[in-house]
Amino acid sequence: MSDRQPLSRDVQSARLSAAEYDENFSDLHAPLDWHEAKVEAERCYFCYDAPCMTACPTSIDIPLFIRQISADNPTGSAKTILNQNIMGGMCARVCPTETLCEEVCVREVAEGKPVKIGQLQRYATDHFMESKRPHPFTRKAETGKKVAIVGAGPAGMSCAHHLAREGHDVTVFEARNKPGGLNEFGIASYKSTENFAQREIEFLLEIGGIEIKTGQRLGEEIALDQLTSDYDAVFLGLGLKNTNRLNLEGENAPGCEDAIDYIAALRQAEDKSILSVGRNVVVIGGGMTAIDIAIQTKLLGAENVTICYRRGQDAMNASLYEQELAQTHGVKIMHWRQPNSIKLNEQGEVCGLEVETTSDASGKLSGTGEMQIIQADQIFKAIGQKFDSTLLSDHQVELEQGRIKVSDTRQTSHQKIWAGGDCIVGGEDLTVVAVEDGKIAAQHINSVLQG
């Protein structure tokens, strides 16, 4: 294949019937019914020194909430969960439980079959939300203190809820047209169905004392200096705005796209048939975003979907379970392959990707010189994101390794600013970790505001 090929791209919308779209993007895991939840709960040993609880980033009392389910008290179970993780419903859907609580479950270690902690958590939280019961927490008396939160993602909304519970007035500034952040725009559609992200936001707001303002971008509609002047404390849950680049010629050509932008468009599309997808799709990357875009393009009707990752299987950030999920959907994963050049047709559109075989036999990753061309109508980049440090220039907020440096309490170098989520040093691209960051920051903010 030469640099310019007389090939037309096969990229189309409406590759499937309406029924096929509905089936493909239905719940990945059907929710447990009452009987299934009871049977599964009774498998738990209710360990005293439970390793699953230690493995949970938000420290949910897992043995307790499962015991409450077994005692036919899903309402009490939900309150146990939500007290530690107000977004326990979403986390039950998207948490990589196979590498967290379920990985260390005693039954997993002994039998290779853990208690289905994530599905039990969903059973309890769904029961509570669907029962239309009053909000599980009561707001304390108003303190007269005001807190600004920038970013309505998991970290920001977790922080907002905990501060509102303490009686503080919270204003959340969100750049997009709706709140939710990662949960609304970045999660695979088959993991969060029936508009659950927004329903969870509405549930969270029932505590009172939280106002969300959308279309408010830091550095444009709002300024950090003004926020620190007008509010008693500020929390930054900014996420990672910028996508890493391949730095290859043709990266901006039609057909070479950022995976996160496509996933966001897919999540917001009420009609999946409007999304155009190639017959042959290549994904570059080895994390959860790579897996999510690969599976979803396959579900949209792509015939051949290939993930290219520059290292071996064990080095992929995506869990083994997620890798196997992709393969069961027909996705091909090619390890030890790195992109070398993007092939374009005579119209300047993507038509293929040349990859080079890699090796780390010398202890350092390097190319072997062996090349291969993979036909591609679409190439998706899923090679990570980075923080937009220009948002904090000249604001006395110290950065480290390109992200916000924080203490154990999530306070930054500025005494009135805290931060959490993947915008901080060591931040992980996980909803549950972001929720915990927001909770930790809120606890410290509250102690400072209370004197």
Side-chain angles (χ1 to χ4, degrees), residues 44-63:
C44 181
Y45 288 141
F46 310 118
C47 305
Y48 171 73
D49 187 17
C52 57
M53 185 174 171
T54 304
C56 175
T58 55
S59 302
I60 293 172
D61 192 335
I62 294 171

Side-chain angles (χ1 to χ4, degrees), residues 318-339:
S319 69
L320 184 60
Y321 165 78
E322 291 287 345
Q323 294 178 50
E324 292 173 349
L325 182 65
Q327 291 169 325
T328 59
H329 279 85
V331 174
K332 181 180 181 181
I333 301 179
M334 298 179 68
H335 301 105
W336 304 108
R337 301 291 193 282
Q338 66 182 8

Side-chain angles (χ1 to χ4, degrees), residues 230-251:
D230 294 346
Y231 292 84
D232 298 295
V234 177
F235 176 83
L236 303 176
L238 299 171
L240 302 180
K241 180 181 177 182
N242 296 336
T243 303
N244 292 329
R245 294 183 58 81
L246 296 170
N247 295 320
L248 294 177
E249 186 177 349
E251 186 171 359

Side-chain angles (χ1 to χ4, degrees), residues 190 259-260 263 282-297 305-309 316 318 326 331 380-384:
Y190 54 82
I260 57 169
I263 290 173
V282 176
V283 178
I284 303 169
M288 288 301 305
T289 301
I291 296 293
D292 285 350
I293 189 66
I295 292 176
Q296 291 188 110
T297 51
V305 180
T306 305
I307 293 176
C308 294
Y309 179 59
M316 291 183 73
V331 174
F380 287 103
K381 299 176 290 181
I383 54 174

